[in-house]
Amino acid sequence: MSGKMAITTTVNGEEHEVLVEPRMLLVNMIRESLHETGTHIGCDTSSCGACTVLLDGRPVKSCTILAVQANGREITTVEGLETADGLHPVQEGFKEEHGLQCGYCTPGMMMTSVALLAENPDPSEDDIRKAISGNLCRCTGYVNIVKAVQYAAKKQQGVTA
Amino acid sequence: MLPSSFEYVAPTSVDEAVQALATGGGDAKIMAGGQSLLPMMKLRLASPSLIVDINNIAGLDTLEESDGMLRIGALVRHGELERSELIRDRYPIILDAAQHIADPLIRNRGTFCGSVAHGDPAGDWATVATALGAELHAVGPNGAVVHSAADFQTSMFETKLGADQILVEARIPMPKPGQGSAYKKIERKVGDYAAAAVGVSIVLDGTTITEASIGLTNVGPLTIHAAAAAASLIGKSIDDAEAIEQAGVLAAAASDPVSDLRGPADYKRDLVRVLTKRALRTAGTRAQGKEA
Amino acid sequence: MSTPTVSHVEGAIGQSPKRIEDDRFIRGKGNYVDDVQLPGMLFMSIYRSPFAHATINSIDTSRAMAMPGVLACITGKDLEAHGLAWMPTLAGDTQAVLATDKVRFQGQEVVAIIAKTQPQAEDALEGIDVDYDPLPVIIDPKHAMDADAPVVRTDLEGKTDNHIFTWESGDADATDRAFEGADIVISLDTLYPRIHPAPMETCGCVSDYNTATGKMTVHLTSQAPHAHRTLFALVAGLPEHKIRIISPDVGGGFGNKVPIYPGYVVATAASLLIGKPVKWIESRSENLISTGFARDYHMSGELAATKDGKMLGLRATVLADHGAFNAQAAPSKWPAGFFNIATGSYDMPAAYCKVDAVYTNKAPGGVAYRCSFRVTEAAYLIERLVDNLAHKTGIDAAELRKMNFIQPEQFPYKSPMGWEYDSGDYDKAMDIALELVDYKALRKEQAEKRERGEVMGIGFSSFTEIVGAGMSKICDIAGLAMIDSAELRIHPTGKGVLKLGVQSQGQGHETTFAQIVANELGIPSTDIVVEHGDTDHTPYGLGTYASRSTPTGGAATAIVARKLREKGRQIAAHMLECAPDDLEFDSGTFTVKGSPDRTKTIQECIFKAYQSELPEGMENGFEDVTYYDAPEMTYPFGTYICVVDIDKGTGAVTVRKFVAVDDCGTRINPMIVDGQIHGGLTQGFGTAMMELISFDEDGNCFGSNFMDYLIPTAVESPHWTLGECVTPSPHHPIGAKGIGESPTVGSPQAIVNAVVDALTPYGITNIDMPLSSHKVWKALRDAGVADE
Ligand SMILES: Cc1cc2nc3c(=O)[nH]c(=O)nc-3n(C[C@H](O)[C@H](O)[C@H](O)COP(=O)(O)OP(=O)(O)OC[C@H]3O[C@@H](n4cnc5c(N)ncnc54)[C@H](O)[C@@H]3O)c2cc1C
Ligand code: FES
Ligand code: FES
């Protein structure tokens, strides 16, 4: 149906029922229907990663997924990183290591970093650079983003050790 | 930039999907990873009236060896191939390509089969499938059909797959003793398609090449099966620099690139020559069980 | 009044407190223009010309009007009725808002569609029918002045060619004489290609006209909200006090968000006509195809020298491609910006430059992309010439530079084309860089590799920048003096707010400007909140670009804080019953000289300012405002050294090592300075290696999305190694010079020089940017170099 479809999706731990046109992109649903504007749009060719969210734990470009495809799935956006215990180590790392400037790429960059650390708790500089290579940043030159992820890795290991 | 309106169904079985495709007429499209289809729809280069999303079909995510074949299901993503231990241990050409397709985020969605089905000569998987002699298993209204990867593509964005067929699985013969493979790609940056890329697979007896196959990416209107280049290697030693050079020259001759932002045609043709040699050397090293 | 002693103030200058603004960004709580969602908001899309040059016979919007949700289709004719079809550019030209007579570049704005939803606005683009008659195009600027070239600006009365201006600087005769006496003349023809700032956030606005109050609020991606308010008043004829520009968080600017774009004007006009908020957010393609490009300078340079490498003179002629409208950003009196800084870091007696600008059928612009008005092009030219001189004379590139550097004792130094450099120590920056990179070892390695047929190169750039415009007697934009301002108000409990005329786009003003106050008043930087980007609540300023925020807004901040410190001193003296001059000030405390126990903290003085019994004649309150007009420009400099390896088989260039030693004077927050350098270097790397907007002969634009316009990812970007050198500016209140742009200005030529250095043994003297593998491959093959 090109009419609206009702979907149920869990965003940042909260279940939402949303009516969406099939052509609506996940990023538009998150920004416009759920009013969570931390997930950004930076291009129209699936090239920049400003829109990165976690879909069932994996980082994906939410501008290249239909909102209807989130039906029954779990989405995590930047707004879901902070918990009652405080900032996520990756958020802390970005601030501590000056891993952001204008902040536009930052939410996407952090989501990718969170997923990287979940899979590889102790990444090398090379691992980090590869992992974030689907996320463009025009401001930082990436050096401090690498440091931010390393900061978070240390912090996470400290917590779990 | 949003797609035009379309209808959407997400069947849960291959049969349902085949039926849905049939109801959409020629204008329906399967959506697998959506990483080629959606970008085209957003730019309105494609405006299908019906999307048949196969992501909810159970059982299409098979990635395993059985009956002498590696089976890659229609929902196996590039990223899963990149992370798979099986692939890492036994299919180096797949790992090479997986690490250089698109970018890590796209790799979490895009599928091997979707890429092959897309019929894009710039797609890396069609070349890998060609080099490895893959069989492509499809299902249509009249049941199962098997295509061979080497001549699967018929023209730019067209393949032998009927508009009413779904590619359900790619099957690749398990490596033989002495087999080595490699994929070499030149891209301008991460996220770019190949300026040129070459995939090779060879089988060695000692240092003698007994089997060879070579595929070329984005240097012509089709994924290129460089048969003459491969044939020239049979019976030659992997250490025979002249034979390797000759294969490079023949592969370059098989290419038919156009000049574009990635470079002039003569550059791309020379890249094919250089990359073929490099891929052969790496494949040779791997065939001999050495690190590369 | 000078910088006070600061022995222990939290967040003072020189410390690196973490950024205040990050608290919202890391939580996804930034507020960018696209995040603005207003009740009843309508959406705008823009239909653009597919042709580079074509007469418009007719425009039919009826199909679009019949499509769901479409409320209006606005054409140039509609705007004409309101006198809005054309608007002035920053360079004093006019630009079509929506095309009326003809289209002049591919991607030009023709019709604006207003619809209830964004998808509806986009769908309706397919319902616009325009009847065009294609015209011959002029794409190559070298032919723009040919007698038979099609004339782009037939709208300008009496215009029969494509010439925009000719601008000269320096002494042509003296330069000719210098060249006559030279042993060696190095010549170089090079194109600094058309590139784009491409901030991650594109341009856009939400224009919100309040029919009841007559007030127009525009949420705008703006680097210069105050100047934009004035321009809106001039363009749209709205009373300026009824315009409010809010530039919330800006997702990067780099010069892209300095001009006013047609989309802003139409969205604002639409909101005015319809009486509802109208949102227009550019797509990436629209951003790349139509908004301010940068560079596009075809340069011919000649450097005269003695056979021992002493530089005698520089001559440069430039052909500047400004596109279809002259929409470049530069101060009015400087049509080619500060290109005449082109003698750079070198002491030479004579120099002359001439710049001709022309119209072509390409997008308008010439914005100062992370650049102080054409300094980038100038620095590129001289540094390329100098490396080629080194190769010609056989003198080591570092040595040659040192032989010709302006010496520390020569400052203030008057350059042959008229600038007065404030301060510098070029040898020092060079020495630090040489040591960091281990230069001797590198040259040894290179020699060994050459023996083996491997291709490795080392390139230098010892640039001098000119920033901080600045100097109202020579710099204005659209008649507005290039001053900037700061308003500081401290509340009774000692915490306060600093309001700025400049506008952050990621530079961290909320942190660094609070540090300047912390330094001057001796209060923790976290006690100051910095506000900017809302013209209703901040003092006037010309905005942030050209590395001018610290030189101008930073100076204003220091001065306004000093004024308040003096007020504090008067109050302290009054309370301590001594003369103001008897007080010493350190870290926020006034102490009577010789009586260490008689003290008043600045906080006590501030509280007192809100009480009765103040010194005779003093008003209550603790606030002030300063407008700062810089007495001089500032001249940051540095030496960059780049090491590249080249793959002979594929032509691929790898930047293996890059050392950057920057001197930007006083560093307010070293962490942020380093971050600015990393970012600028990466943009310079992109420029050198991959970024390009090009056109085919019909004027079709390539590089109109991120698949074609390549921006480096973390994988290609080098790991930058930074060194530091500090030579304060003698005339800036805190000695700061500005850092934002040095790395973009200084880095591309270091990379090109390294590649040319690698290829010198094969007789190659130039490759133009971007250094695509295929160009390097071609140079190698043409020189007969085999692959391996
Ligand atoms: C920025 C960017 C960079 C990229 N770079 C590269 C690159 O370097 N190399 C490369 O190879 N690819 C690249 N891609 C493409 C990417 O690999 C895609 O994932 C892939 O081409 C298509 O796979 P998909 O699963 O996403 O297919 P989809 O996008 O879902 O589908 C593609 C086409 O195939 C059809 N289709 C898909 N699956 C099936 C099926 N099972 N049966 C029948 N028909 C089917 C669809 O109908 C559609 O026509 C890039 C994509 C982007 C956005
Ligand atoms: S918005 Fe650029 S990749 Fe999604
Ligand atoms: S911080 Fe501005 S784009 Fe990354």
Side-chain angles (χ1 to χ4, degrees), chain A residues 99-106 109 136-140 145, chain C residues 200 251-252 254 505:
Chain A
L100 64 149
Q101 290 180 23
C102 78
Y104 202 75
C105 71
T106 312
M109 204 58 97
L136 294 177
C137 174
R138 194 61 161 163
C139 299
T140 64
I145 294 181
Chain C
M200 288 314 297
F254 317 117
Q505 317 120 42

Side-chain angles (χ1 to χ4, degrees), chain C residues 83-132:
Chain C
L84 284 177
W86 293 82
M87 64 178 191
T89 69
L90 294 178
D93 194 0
T94 49
Q95 175 174 357
V97 176
L98 294 175
T100 46
D101 52 341
K102 63 176 185 177
V103 289
R104 292 170 173 78
F105 66 95
Q106 187 184 53
Q108 187 177 343
E109 301 80 357
V110 183
V111 181
I113 299 165
I114 313 289
K116 283 188 185 152
T117 70
Q118 178 69 32
Q120 289 169 337
E122 286 185 29
D123 287 346
L125 290 170
E126 288 162 23
I128 302 291
D129 300 298
V130 181
D131 181 25
Y132 299 98

Side-chain angles (χ1 to χ4, degrees), chain B:
Chain B
M1 304 284 260
L2 301 162
S4 329
S5 294
F6 52 82
E7 296 194 20
Y8 172 89
V9 290
T12 51
S13 73
V14 173
D15 287 349
E16 273 172 49
V18 170
Q19 270 170 29
L21 264 188
T23 62
D27 205 19
K29 280 272 177 207
I30 298 281
M31 183 175 289
Q35 305 298 289
S36 286
L37 186 54
L38 258 174
M40 291 176 73
M41 289 167 65
K42 283 166 70 180
L43 297 174
R44 306 217 173 173
L45 299 173
S47 299
S49 58
L50 171 68
I51 288 293
V52 180
D53 181 354
I54 60 171
N55 283 279
N56 293 351
I57 301 178
L60 289 185
D61 55 356
T62 313
L63 176 61
E64 61 179 35
E65 288 179 333
S66 64
D67 302 329
M69 301 294 261
L70 170 72
R71 299 173 51 206
I72 303 176
L75 287 175
V76 173
R77 325 256 171 200
H78 313 327
E80 282 162 60
L81 294 165
E82 188 184 5
R83 289 183 284 266
S84 153
E85 265 179 50
L86 172 65
I87 298 298
R88 189 168 296 269
D89 291 346
R90 291 171 54 81
Y91 300 89
I93 183 176
I94 297 184
L95 182 62
D96 287 346
Q99 288 172 333
H100 291 101
I101 278 204
D103 67 46
L105 302 170
I106 292 183
R107 297 206 283 269
N108 281 335
R109 287 298 287 172
T111 66
F112 183 99
C113 289
S115 169
V116 173
H118 192 42
D120 182 354
D124 295 302
W125 288 132
T127 302
V128 170
T130 299
L132 292 179
E135 297 169 357
L136 304 172
H137 290 249
V139 175
N142 304 321
V145 200
V146 183
H147 302 281
S148 108
D151 58 357
F152 183 58
Q153 210 199 332
T154 51
S155 67
M156 188 81 111
F157 299 114
E158 296 289 338
T159 67
K160 289 192 174 158
L161 201 67
D164 53 1
Q165 293 177 358
I166 299 175
L167 180 56
V168 288
E169 196 165 285
R171 291 191 194 166
I172 291 169
M174 274 162 46
K176 300 178 181 168
Q179 185 166 352
S181 62
Y183 192 72
K184 301 279 180 194
K185 173 175 178 179
I186 294 292
E187 55 183 7
R188 296 172 299 173
K189 55 165 281 200
V190 172
D192 189 21
Y193 286 90
V198 177
V200 307
S201 172
I202 54 174
V203 179
L204 295 186
D205 180 3
T207 57
T208 307
I209 302 170
T210 58
E211 289 180 36
S213 97
I214 301 177
L216 313 178
T217 309
N218 215 11
V219 283
L222 303 177
T223 301
I224 292 170
H225 184 199
S232 78
L233 288 162
I234 306 302
K236 300 280 166 50
S237 162
I238 187 69
D239 301 323
D240 177 348
E242 234 168 80
I244 302 291
E245 175 69 33
Q246 180 61 16
V249 169
L250 288 172
S255 71
D256 182 18
V258 293
S259 298
D260 60 16
L261 295 179
R262 294 189 181 86
D266 57 345
Y267 162 70
K268 295 182 182 177
R269 218 173 284 120
D270 198 46
L271 275 186
V272 170
R273 182 182 63 87
V274 171
L275 296 180
T276 300
K277 293 197 291 178
R278 290 184 183 177
L280 284 170
R281 273 190 239 118
T282 304
T285 313
R286 286 170 174 169
Q288 291 166 322
K290 299 179 205 149
E291 279 288 310

